[in-house]
Amino acid sequence: MKTEKTPQSGSVTTDPFPNSRKIYVKGNLHNVSVAMREIALTDTRLHGRAGQVEKNAPVTVYDTSGPFTDPNVEIDVKKGLPALRSEWIKARRDVEQLEGISSHYGQQRLSDPSLDALRFAHITKPLRAKSGANVSQLHYAKKGIITAEMEYIAIRENQRIQENLLELNGKAGSLAHQHRGHSFGANTPVKFITPEFVRSEVAAGRAVIPVNINHPESEPMIIGRNFLVKINANIGNSAVSSTIEEEVEKAVWACRWGADTIMDLSTGKNIHETREWIIRNSPVPIGTVPIYQALEKVNGKAEDLTWELFRDTLIEQAEQGVDYFTIHAGVLLRYIPLTAKRLTGIVSRGGSIMAKWCLAHHKENFLYTHFEEICEIMKAYDVAFSLGDGLRPGCIADANDAAQFSELETLGELTKIAWKHDVQTIIEGPGHVPMHLIKENMEKQLEHCQEAPFYTLGPLTTDIAPGYDHITSAIGAAMIGWFGTAMLCYVTPKEHLGLPNKKDVKDGVITYKIAAHAADLAKGHPGAQYRDNALSKARFEFRWEDQFNLSLDPETAKSFHDETLPAEGAKIAHFCSMCGPNFCSMKITQDVRDYADENGLNAEAITEGMEEKSREFASLGSQIYL
Amino acid sequence: MKTEKTPQSGSVTTDPFPNSRKIYVKGNLHNVSVAMREIALTDTRLHGRAGQVEKNAPVTVYDTSGPFTDPNVEIDVKKGLPALRSEWIKARRDVEQLEGISSHYGQQRLSDPSLDALRFAHITKPLRAKSGANVSQLHYAKKGIITAEMEYIAIRENQRIQENLLELNGKAGSLAHQHRGHSFGANTPVKFITPEFVRSEVAAGRAVIPVNINHPESEPMIIGRNFLVKINANIGNSAVSSTIEEEVEKAVWACRWGADTIMDLSTGKNIHETREWIIRNSPVPIGTVPIYQALEKVNGKAEDLTWELFRDTLIEQAEQGVDYFTIHAGVLLRYIPLTAKRLTGIVSRGGSIMAKWCLAHHKENFLYTHFEEICEIMKAYDVAFSLGDGLRPGCIADANDAAQFSELETLGELTKIAWKHDVQTIIEGPGHVPMHLIKENMEKQLEHCQEAPFYTLGPLTTDIAPGYDHITSAIGAAMIGWFGTAMLCYVTPKEHLGLPNKKDVKDGVITYKIAAHAADLAKGHPGAQYRDNALSKARFEFRWEDQFNLSLDPETAKSFHDETLPAEGAKIAHFCSMCGPNFCSMKITQDVRDYADENGLNAEAITEGMEEKSREFASLGSQIYL
């Protein structure tokens, strides 16, 4: 048991990325300026033309790190991040500021002096929709309103594609606008993402913008399969593990490396205070599993859970600014027996809590029976549903079974109810699934849940590698992302073994950025491939620093390179440590290219002409680079 | 530049795996005893029935580690491994022992006293096919002969499936006997691998057994898509990097973690001596790229390469016992211009060497023009072809282009010639390929190369993660393995950045075992899933030590677990660090299961009956485990 410690100035990571600067792109419809990271590149030295160079345009990349990586923003974790969205929210005139916190539990914690030392200092009065109003982005979208959040997202998703597409040498893909049954990228091309396209996808329920009106610090992002594939990082302290200070740094750290959302799964004491610190300092949407905290409130006795207590927990968290809730409303009493012959039964914590409650009372899951009341709370704060898959398989042997797919059908039924209330909804998916059974998950989800965004945990494609489950699951995650899954929940190397530390969080995030990006390439997202092309060009031209700076993890790339060839000179050397100075596979190409430039590209012509070329070549002592 | 050092006793890793013993399974047709690893498991403690236990049968796994992990075998790297196959080879009466080494270079090195200190002490006189004889396994297979190697492989591939299938609770897959266009596992089931099936696959050219008659130390293994997917690990020292001692340990180390073959890509000086040390101590087939050594012999000047010098190099290496040669005979003069407009040109070292030679002389590739003479050498020692893809793409942008696929067609043409000589042949593949373009590679390879086994490098599914290319490529490797690729060449975290150290080799091997195993599961190999099931059962029952011991890397799994819950007690505790003692998602299942045992599995009946059950349950204070 660690002694509690709250964040101090300097306890979060704030350095910018190498050779990168934060840029802000202005909107046209609203007063939005969208943060992006611009990576400056060095010049290309033209081979055999000493001194001559060619400029390389800077590369702009999607940036989830928030103000922490902008040296011009003063960071104070005790004050929290600037409230980017406050004006947009107020301008819609459909919210009111409450006199105080509505939840009993929230009031209790606030009035407990023993918590003063732990509490975030600047707790503002919560906002809530005016009576009768619905403040969800889905509600606005259906009414044809393009919100500031939607414009922000359109600009953000394009990553200045206009300029970047020019870098692609005609290698650009086209965005797979995917419909049911067409999840292999061969679809209606969308070359550019407009604010109206964002609105229409949200209105159709195909995409979700998790933006609680009480989390104005968050930079708007979208979860939908016709946009960049997103990743979530789970953090959270537990009785045995870590402090508030460590968890806040984990959140900032996860965003730095690319987490699009953070789920706070804290289970220790001080969950309420920990969450406040995390939300106030999070540039990305925060998700939670409210049943975890509810369980702590009844000292871990699932059978003591009640609707009233759970309802109070939802309001408590909604007023702090949680952007999406995992709700295990699909675990129905009649499905529980379907898990009896499984190899690993029920492995979802939320699922097992609800199963235990159902068995203890022999009643239907109260999340299911009170679902419409939950919707009323969600739309008053714009909290999105993440409908939990409490019966997901816990091993390869249990994949795609009756328990799993029965629950999925119920989640589809609940999606219709949520949409009736204009509540944004995503659907959670497995888990452990061998490769040949992955596509069926995507197809059934699209069918049963009417194309609501899918949000999967991996899936892990084998059970035999504990300690490497970030990899066993990245394989499944990349595939299901390609097939149409909108967000991938990361798995760290500690999965099944322990709680992730900072290194594990980074390993999990980078691994999932790889899976998500591989999926974006396969879907043909126009904003995906230019970064691969820029890095490959740098690699080919031995612009080592550019290769490092364009990579997902510049520090690691550079340190690996330096292990073999530490000298600074090696980074401008015209060869690499694998082939050595003697010869290099990439050098030859320049000769071929120079020749083609002179003689045109007709293969016949070239092979003819090469006779002569080969003589010159030999006469130069066969030195390609003089 | 490191000072050279040869292996000393104790310089290779020899400890057996935890709770594992080496077993030897006898054959029926030949005097073979097949090495396997048997992992002993602890008992299952039956819930709620204090003291009662259920035995768990030991699990047998495919073992590439060789005699090094058998405490009963005395290991002396200076003597090399026992010559397992000598008797089998002699018994076929088609080989003769030569008076001495035939290659000029080999003789030169042997007679150079300055190398005495480096030289492996016990160099035996090489074997060669008697005049007119063909000693390739393909030749025997076509004649209907089931060799000892084939029986060894049949037993090895089954991994005692008879017993193991019983462990599967009807969850067993069936082997995907894949034919062109049917690469999704839904194929003719093969429940058990017989020696005759091995022979027939080799005879059809669909599988290859790399077993040079001069490498009798190797344990026979097979490369073909109707068998377990295999992985290769590249090692090799270079002028700047490492010693012979380090490379031999890297080879032993790679086999320990699961490498099915090793490629020695040494490029430094003493390549000849390094190779001898590695082969004499390698329980797996050794592959090389002879052109690398040939290039060193002409001081790195590609244009100085000649057929005579290359031929001498092939004989030199064949007589040392190299089991397969990568030959870049498909890089034709007319294909070179097709690489001119690529983003990264030619990235294969062998490919660029041959391209440079072709340009310098404006002649056709001498590996292509002398191909039949190469076949004559291959069949005299049973060296298998690995036809190199010298024009493979070096980045996502260049994937599946004209240069790549033109070369592939030529490799198909060469395969026919090799088969005419009964020379075993596999085909090398990319490289860098986004997910949506992977399947086309497999389909074209099957079509153009008449189902000769495919051997790919990854492919990497994105270029933006240097430092993590074991992961970017494991995604592509798992997929192409599922589609039908027979062997996956590993990629380490150092790819593109530097030379792999021991840790990188282990990371690469484990990552590729994951990819290969995920592919075996997806193909429905009957010998694949029982290990997942055994591990998942152990996980579900909190048999922590069994979970560690059944994993690909017991050390890492155990150490990760101990980081969070170090106490020995935690390893027999009935909960895990993720959920804590308060409640655990897996506990609930036992209650469901016990209930189902009593009341049958009809959902109706159960939900009815649960009323009563829930009363009992409450009356027990809702404690599931007393």
Side-chain angles (χ1 to χ4, degrees):
Chain A
M1 175 77 80
K2 286 199 176 188
T3 47
E4 192 54 274
K5 190 167 185 317
T6 59
Q8 305 302 312
S9 47
S11 67
V12 295
T13 306
T14 57
D15 341 323
F17 281 88
N19 237 31
S20 299
R21 70 186 183 106
K22 188 81 85 169
I23 60 168
Y24 295 90
V25 182
K26 292 270 172 217
N28 306 316
L29 308 173
H30 296 274
N31 175 25
V32 303
S33 39
V34 181
M36 299 182 183
R37 173 157 72 104
E38 187 182 77
I39 305 167
L41 301 181
T42 61
D43 297 339
T44 296
R45 291 166 300 138
L46 297 174
H47 302 283
R49 287 164 237 166
Q52 286 186 54
V53 299
E54 180 180 80
K55 295 262 166 235
N56 289 294
V59 170
T60 311
V61 298
Y62 194 99
D63 186 357
T64 56
S65 64
F68 298 100
T69 52
D70 184 346
N72 303 321
V73 177
E74 198 205 323
I75 298 297
D76 179 350
V77 277
K78 293 179 169 187
K79 288 207 184 78
L81 294 174
L84 175 72
R85 297 171 46 241
S86 287
E87 293 314 311
W88 313 345
I89 294 163
K90 293 203 189 89
R92 291 191 282 254
R93 295 201 166 72
D94 52 6
V95 302
E96 59 189 0
Q97 186 149 36
L98 304 176
E99 284 314 305
I101 291 171
S102 321
S103 66
H104 300 309
Y105 187 80
Q107 289 161 6
Q108 227 179 74
R109 299 295 289 191
L110 195 58
S111 60
D112 180 343
S114 77
L115 298 171
D116 293 351
L118 297 184
R119 207 177 284 116
F120 183 78
H122 311 273
I123 296 178
T124 55
K125 292 180 174 147
L127 299 179
R128 188 174 63 197
K130 288 178 179 166
S131 167
N134 182 333
V135 297
S136 83
Q137 293 285 318
L138 174 53
H139 186 69
Y140 302 135
K142 279 184 173 174
K143 290 201 298 187
I145 299 167
I146 295 174
T147 62
E149 288 85 351
M150 295 172 194
E151 186 184 26
Y152 189 105
I153 286 162
I155 296 166
R156 190 177 197 184
E157 287 275 325
N158 286 318
Q159 303 162 78
R160 309 180 109 184
I161 281 176
Q162 305 96 307
E163 300 98 286
N164 291 321
L165 280 179
L166 303 178
E167 300 295 306
L168 293 178
N169 318 322
K171 302 276 190 182
S174 65
L175 176 57
H177 185 126
Q178 298 176 343
H179 294 299
R180 195 175 308 167
H182 296 77
S183 38
F184 282 80
N187 306 306
T188 321
V190 174
K191 280 282 178 203
F192 189 72
I193 292 159
T194 62
E196 168 53 24
F197 180 70
V198 172
R199 187 206 61 77
S200 65
E201 288 290 294
V202 173
R206 258 198 305 273
V208 159
I209 302 173
V211 278
N212 184 321
I213 54 175
N214 291 307
H215 186 198
E217 301 89 348
S218 75
E219 298 172 347
M221 54 78 71
I222 194 161
I223 301 167
R225 74 185 191 288
N226 293 321
F227 301 93
L228 292 163
V229 175
K230 304 305 189 297
I231 69 168
N232 170 72
N234 293 333
I235 62 164
N237 58 4
S238 82
V240 288
S241 64
S242 60
T243 66
I244 294 176
E245 181 176 48
E246 289 168 305
E247 290 313 306
V248 170
E249 165 60 356
K250 261 189 213 168
V252 173
W253 183 246
C255 295
R256 175 180 182 80
W257 295 111
D260 294 287
T261 78
I262 297 285
M263 289 195 80
D264 172 16
L265 305 184
S266 295
T267 57
K269 50 184 186 43
N270 310 327
I271 298 180
H272 179 87
E273 291 68 31
T274 303
R275 186 187 307 121
E276 188 74 29
W277 277 99
I278 291 172
I279 294 172
R280 299 288 73 86
N281 286 287
S282 175
V284 304
I286 297 295
T288 62
V289 187
I291 202 77
Y292 292 178
Q293 187 185 9
L295 190 78
E296 295 287 348
K297 292 176 181 177
V298 294
N299 308 310
K301 298 190 72 183
E303 57 277 14
D304 293 354
L305 287 166
T306 65
W307 159 244
E308 292 66 27
L309 177 128
F310 185 76
R311 183 178 182 286
D312 192 66
T313 306
L314 292 182
I315 293 167
E316 170 202 344
Q317 298 196 9
E319 294 190 350
Q320 286 185 297
V322 174
D323 300 284
Y324 63 93
F325 288 151
T326 294
I327 304 286
H328 296 93
V331 178
L332 302 190
L333 184 57
R334 66 176 180 277
Y335 298 154
I336 299 171
L338 299 177
T339 65
K341 285 283 173 221
R342 278 179 161 185
L343 193 57
T344 59
I346 300 173
V347 296
S348 149
R349 289 168 65 187
S352 65
I353 294 166
M354 294 321 299
K356 190 169 177 180
W357 187 92
C358 292
L359 287 183
H361 298 280
H362 191 261
K363 287 220 181 72
E364 192 49 275
N365 181 337
F366 64 77
L367 302 173
Y368 180 81
T369 55
H370 291 272
F371 194 73
E372 300 224 21
E373 291 158 86
I374 298 175
C375 292
E376 295 296 339
I377 297 168
M378 308 297 263
K379 64 192 186 191
Y381 304 93
D382 196 10
V383 182
F385 274 116
S386 184
L387 296 177
D389 57 334
L391 302 182
R392 67 169 176 267
C395 64
I396 294 298
D398 295 339
N400 295 23
D401 71 356
Q404 182 195 336
F405 285 144
S406 300
E407 180 185 33
L408 183 61
E409 285 179 36
T410 299
L411 298 185
E413 174 199 325
L414 294 167
T415 301
K416 288 195 187 123
I417 297 169
W419 284 351
K420 191 184 70 185
H421 291 269
D422 291 351
V423 175
Q424 305 192 88
T425 304
I426 59 180
I427 309 295
E428 295 186 10
H432 294 243
V433 184
M435 282 191 287
H436 63 297
L437 300 183
I438 288 175
K439 195 153 189 299
E440 183 184 16
N441 279 272
M442 191 69 231
E443 287 167 345
K444 278 194 157 43
Q445 189 272 343
L446 289 172
E447 181 190 340
H448 297 315
C449 304
Q450 306 90 47
E451 304 188 58
F454 204 23
Y455 169 32
T456 60
L457 175 66
L460 285 69
T461 53
T462 167
D463 302 336
I464 67 169
Y468 298 82
D469 280 330
H470 58 311
I471 298 174
T472 64
S473 65
I475 294 166
M479 288 176 68
I480 206 162
W482 170 28
F483 296 158
T485 291
M487 186 158 74
L488 308 169
C489 182
Y490 86 167
V491 172
T492 76
K494 288 278 171 63
E495 184 74 12
H496 299 123
L497 298 170
L499 292 162
N501 57 29
K502 250 179 92 172
K503 181 186 185 308
D504 299 318
V505 167
K506 180 181 175 182
D507 287 345
V509 168
I510 298 279
T511 301
Y512 270 66
K513 288 305 277 189
I514 288 168
H517 185 75
D520 288 331
L521 289 173
K523 293 197 324 187
H525 191 294
Q529 194 178 318
Y530 72 88
R531 187 174 184 175
D532 296 73
N533 293 357
L535 190 145
S536 295
K537 185 168 184 284
R539 176 177 288 155
F540 177 68
E541 294 169 354
F542 297 96
R543 289 185 280 117
W544 287 101
E545 294 291 352
D546 290 348
Q547 187 185 164
F548 305 150
N549 296 340
L550 285 163
S551 71
L552 289 179
D553 181 1
E555 293 167 15
T556 298
K558 188 172 188 304
S559 67
F560 280 4
H561 172 275
D562 293 356
E563 269 181 48
T564 316
L565 282 181
E568 267 313 300
K571 284 192 217 56
I572 56 162
H574 220 280
F575 61 84
C576 56
S577 56
M578 288 74 79
C579 305
N582 211 355
F583 74 96
C584 166
S585 65
M586 286 188 175
K587 282 184 175 180
I588 190 70
T589 304
Q590 194 53 46
D591 189 54
V592 175
R593 191 172 287 179
D594 293 346
Y595 181 81
D597 291 347
E598 296 158 31
N599 302 268
L601 267 172
N602 174 294
E604 286 311 303
I606 287 175
T607 38
E608 289 313 313
M610 275 182 176
E611 188 100 57
E612 169 200 337
K613 174 72 176 174
S614 65
R615 277 193 299 273
E616 295 165 31
F617 187 75
S619 71
L620 296 174
S622 303
Q623 290 309 304
I624 295 169
Y625 306 104
L626 303 171
Chain B
M1 177 76 82
K2 285 198 178 189
T3 46
E4 192 54 274
K5 191 168 186 313
T6 58
Q8 305 303 312
S9 46
S11 68
V12 294
T13 306
T14 57
D15 345 324
F17 280 87
N19 237 31
S20 301
R21 69 185 184 105
K22 189 82 86 170
I23 59 168
Y24 294 89
V25 182
K26 291 271 171 216
N28 306 317
L29 308 173
H30 296 274
N31 175 26
V32 303
S33 38
V34 181
M36 299 181 183
R37 174 158 69 106
E38 186 182 78
I39 305 167
L41 303 180
T42 61
D43 297 339
T44 297
R45 291 165 300 140
L46 297 174
H47 302 283
R49 288 163 236 164
Q52 286 187 52
V53 298
E54 183 178 76
K55 294 263 166 237
N56 289 294
V59 170
T60 310
V61 297
Y62 194 100
D63 186 356
T64 56
S65 64
F68 298 100
T69 52
D70 184 346
N72 303 322
V73 177
E74 199 206 324
I75 298 299
D76 180 350
V77 277
K78 295 180 168 187
K79 288 207 183 77
L81 294 174
L84 175 71
R85 297 170 45 240
S86 287
E87 292 315 312
W88 314 344
I89 294 164
K90 292 202 189 89
R92 291 192 280 254
R93 296 202 165 72
D94 50 8
V95 303
E96 59 190 358
Q97 185 149 36
L98 303 176
E99 285 314 304
I101 291 171
S102 324
S103 66
H104 299 309
Y105 187 80
Q107 288 162 5
Q108 223 179 75
R109 299 295 288 190
L110 194 58
S111 60
D112 180 344
S114 76
L115 298 170
D116 292 351
L118 297 183
R119 208 176 285 119
F120 183 79
H122 311 272
I123 297 178
T124 54
K125 293 183 171 136
L127 300 179
R128 187 174 64 197
K130 287 179 180 165
S131 166
N134 181 331
V135 297
S136 83
Q137 294 285 319
L138 174 53
H139 187 69
Y140 302 136
K142 279 186 175 175
K143 290 200 297 187
I145 298 167
I146 295 175
T147 62
E149 287 84 351
M150 296 171 193
E151 185 184 26
Y152 189 105
I153 286 162
I155 296 165
R156 191 176 195 184
E157 287 275 324
N158 285 317
Q159 303 163 76
R160 306 180 112 184
I161 281 175
Q162 305 98 307
E163 300 100 282
N164 291 322
L165 281 177
L166 304 177
E167 302 293 305
L168 294 177
N169 317 323
K171 303 275 191 183
S174 66
L175 176 58
H177 185 124
Q178 299 176 342
H179 293 299
R180 196 174 307 166
H182 296 76
S183 39
F184 281 80
N187 306 308
T188 322
V190 174
K191 279 284 178 202
F192 188 72
I193 292 159
T194 61
E196 168 53 24
F197 180 70
V198 173
R199 187 206 60 76
S200 64
E201 289 291 293
V202 172
R206 259 198 305 273
V208 157
I209 302 173
V211 278
N212 184 321
I213 54 174
N214 290 308
H215 186 198
E217 301 90 347
S218 74
E219 297 173 348
M221 55 79 70
I222 194 162
I223 301 166
R225 75 187 191 287
N226 293 319
F227 301 93
L228 292 165
V229 175
K230 305 305 190 296
I231 69 168
N232 171 73
N234 293 334
I235 62 164
N237 58 4
S238 82
V240 291
S241 66
S242 59
T243 65
I244 294 175
E245 181 176 49
E246 288 168 303
E247 290 311 305
V248 171
E249 165 59 357
K250 263 188 210 167
V252 172
W253 182 246
C255 295
R256 174 181 183 81
W257 295 111
D260 293 289
T261 78
I262 298 285
M263 288 195 81
D264 173 14
L265 304 184
S266 295
T267 56
K269 50 183 185 43
N270 311 329
I271 298 180
H272 179 87
E273 291 67 30
T274 304
R275 187 187 307 119
E276 187 74 29
W277 278 99
I278 291 172
I279 294 172
R280 300 286 76 83
N281 285 286
S282 175
V284 304
I286 298 296
T288 63
V289 187
I291 203 76
Y292 292 178
Q293 187 185 7
L295 190 77
E296 296 287 350
K297 293 177 181 177
V298 293
N299 308 311
K301 298 189 72 184
E303 58 277 15
D304 292 354
L305 288 166
T306 64
W307 159 245
E308 292 66 28
L309 177 128
F310 185 76
R311 183 179 183 284
D312 191 66
T313 307
L314 292 183
I315 293 166
E316 169 202 345
Q317 297 196 11
E319 293 191 351
Q320 285 185 296
V322 174
D323 300 285
Y324 64 93
F325 287 151
T326 293
I327 304 286
H328 297 92
V331 180
L332 301 189
L333 184 57
R334 66 178 181 277
Y335 299 154
I336 298 171
L338 299 177
T339 65
K341 284 282 172 225
R342 278 180 163 187
L343 193 58
T344 59
I346 299 173
V347 296
S348 150
R349 288 168 64 188
S352 63
I353 295 167
M354 294 320 299
K356 189 169 177 179
W357 187 91
C358 292
L359 287 185
H361 298 280
H362 190 260
K363 285 220 181 71
E364 192 49 275
N365 183 335
F366 64 77
L367 302 174
Y368 181 80
T369 54
H370 291 272
F371 194 73
E372 300 225 21
E373 290 159 84
I374 299 175
C375 291
E376 296 296 340
I377 298 167
M378 306 298 262
K379 63 192 187 191
Y381 304 93
D382 196 11
V383 182
F385 273 117
S386 184
L387 295 178
D389 56 334
L391 302 181
R392 67 168 175 268
C395 64
I396 294 298
D398 294 340
N400 294 23
D401 71 355
Q404 183 196 337
F405 285 144
S406 300
E407 180 185 32
L408 183 62
E409 286 179 36
T410 299
L411 299 185
E413 173 200 327
L414 294 168
T415 302
K416 289 199 188 118
I417 298 169
W419 284 352
K420 190 184 70 184
H421 291 268
D422 291 352
V423 175
Q424 304 192 88
T425 304
I426 60 181
I427 310 294
E428 296 186 8
H432 293 243
V433 184
M435 282 192 287
H436 64 297
L437 299 183
I438 288 175
K439 196 155 187 301
E440 184 184 15
N441 279 272
M442 191 68 232
E443 288 167 344
K444 279 195 156 42
Q445 188 273 342
L446 289 171
E447 181 191 341
H448 296 314
C449 304
Q450 306 92 45
E451 302 188 59
F454 204 23
Y455 168 34
T456 59
L457 176 66
L460 284 69
T461 55
T462 167
D463 303 335
I464 67 170
Y468 299 82
D469 280 330
H470 57 312
I471 298 174
T472 63
S473 65
I475 293 165
M479 287 175 68
I480 206 162
W482 169 29
F483 297 156
T485 291
M487 184 156 77
L488 308 169
C489 182
Y490 86 167
V491 172
T492 77
K494 288 280 172 63
E495 184 75 12
H496 299 121
L497 298 170
L499 292 162
N501 57 28
K502 251 180 90 173
K503 181 187 184 308
D504 299 317
V505 167
K506 181 181 173 182
D507 287 345
V509 169
I510 298 279
T511 301
Y512 271 66
K513 287 305 277 189
I514 288 168
H517 186 74
D520 288 331
L521 290 173
K523 292 193 334 185
H525 191 294
Q529 196 179 315
Y530 71 89
R531 187 174 183 175
D532 296 74
N533 294 356
L535 190 145
S536 295
K537 186 169 185 281
R539 176 176 288 156
F540 178 66
E541 293 169 355
F542 297 97
R543 289 185 279 116
W544 287 102
E545 293 292 352
D546 289 348
Q547 188 185 163
F548 305 151
N549 297 340
L550 285 164
S551 71
L552 289 180
D553 181 2
E555 291 167 17
T556 298
K558 189 172 186 302
S559 68
F560 281 4
H561 172 275
D562 293 356
E563 270 182 46
T564 317
L565 282 182
E568 267 314 300
K571 283 193 216 55
I572 56 162
H574 219 281
F575 61 84
C576 55
S577 56
M578 287 74 80
C579 304
N582 209 354
F583 75 97
C584 167
S585 65
M586 286 188 176
K587 281 184 175 181
I588 191 72
T589 304
Q590 194 54 45
D591 188 55
V592 175
R593 190 171 288 180
D594 293 345
Y595 180 82
D597 291 346
E598 294 159 31
N599 303 265
L601 268 174
N602 173 292
E604 286 310 305
I606 286 174
T607 39
E608 289 312 314
M610 275 185 177
E611 187 99 58
E612 170 201 333
K613 175 72 175 174
S614 64
R615 276 193 300 275
E616 296 164 31
F617 188 73
S619 72
L620 297 174
S622 303
Q623 290 309 304
I624 296 169
Y625 306 105
L626 300 172

